[in-house]
Amino acid sequence: MANHMGFQAPTHDHKRCVSSALENAEEKSRVLGLRFTKTRRKVLEVLWQSHNPLGAYEILDRLQKDGRRPAPMVVYRALDFLLEAGLAHKISSCKTFIGCSTPDENHEAQFLICESCGSAAEVAGQPLAEALEKTAASAGFKINQRVVEIIGVCPNCQA
Ligand SMILES: [Zn+2]
Ligand SMILES: [Zn+2]
Ligand SMILES: [Zn+2]
């Protein structure tokens, strides 16, 4: 799965990212007995149009381009499903959503976010997760949710 980690070069075959994300989602839904409905699939497809996280209204706009505009509630519910199923993550600092690149693995969300092009890369980092766990424990703190977001400039934008 190493090729899904980090930032993708602008020339990468994004169709492969999309098809593997949708396959993973179907597989995970099947295994967990979740209903991967048309709407949920459509919203995940929109999230995977690029590696840039999208706000709820951007998602609505893009869905509208493909036909009728769904009610915002429908989209919010689909997003809730995707978040709960671990197929997408919420980036809280910018209130946006992004498809998960490794939904088959149980993991904490950790993102590198480029402030220049807006793309985000999900990165694996068990050592970081453990360090945060320890830090919290030493403060007597119980973690409920943990999303690591690191803002900077991606390799494509530095080039
Ligand atoms: Zn891609
Ligand atoms: Zn993820
Ligand atoms: Zn960038």
Side-chain angles (χ1 to χ4, degrees):
M1 280 284 161
N3 57 332
H4 290 300
M5 288 295 166
F7 288 89
Q8 303 285 344
T11 52
H12 81 284
D13 183 4
H14 187 62
K15 280 201 196 99
R16 280 190 55 193
C17 303
V18 177
S19 59
S20 86
L22 292 171
E23 269 166 38
N24 285 341
E26 259 155 35
E27 172 68 9
K28 188 165 187 183
S29 303
R30 198 180 54 75
V31 169
L32 298 179
L34 304 171
R35 285 179 55 241
F36 192 44
T37 61
K38 260 193 188 152
T39 313
R40 292 166 175 176
R41 186 191 169 92
K42 197 84 211 122
V43 171
L44 190 63
E45 277 174 14
V46 166
L47 285 180
W48 274 101
Q49 280 176 357
S50 73
H51 292 277
N52 292 30
L54 295 175
Y57 279 92
E58 287 171 293
I59 296 169
L60 272 166
D61 286 346
R62 288 182 188 209
L63 286 168
Q64 184 174 27
K65 275 196 194 122
D66 298 339
R68 61 222 142 76
R69 185 183 177 88
M73 243 356 256
V74 171
V75 173
Y76 285 123
R77 268 195 239 117
L79 282 169
D80 279 345
F81 168 84
L82 295 174
L83 292 176
E84 236 160 80
L87 299 173
H89 297 292
K90 186 176 188 178
I91 296 182
S92 8
S93 61
C94 36
K95 293 199 174 64
T96 52
F97 301 88
I98 189 164
C100 174
S101 37
T102 56
D104 46 335
E105 291 162 32
N106 202 2
H107 61 285
E108 304 296 338
Q110 297 176 159
F111 288 98
L112 305 176
I113 302 165
C114 177
E115 59 187 352
S116 172
C117 66
S119 67
E122 186 165 1
V123 286
Q126 205 43 45
L128 175 58
E130 279 161 18
L132 288 173
E133 197 82 55
K134 264 191 202 152
T135 308
S138 69
F141 187 81
K142 184 184 162 293
I143 298 177
N144 285 333
Q145 203 196 358
R146 177 175 49 199
V147 182
V148 175
E149 302 166 15
I150 301 167
I151 315 293
V153 184
C154 81
N156 300 325
C157 291
Q158 288 173 44

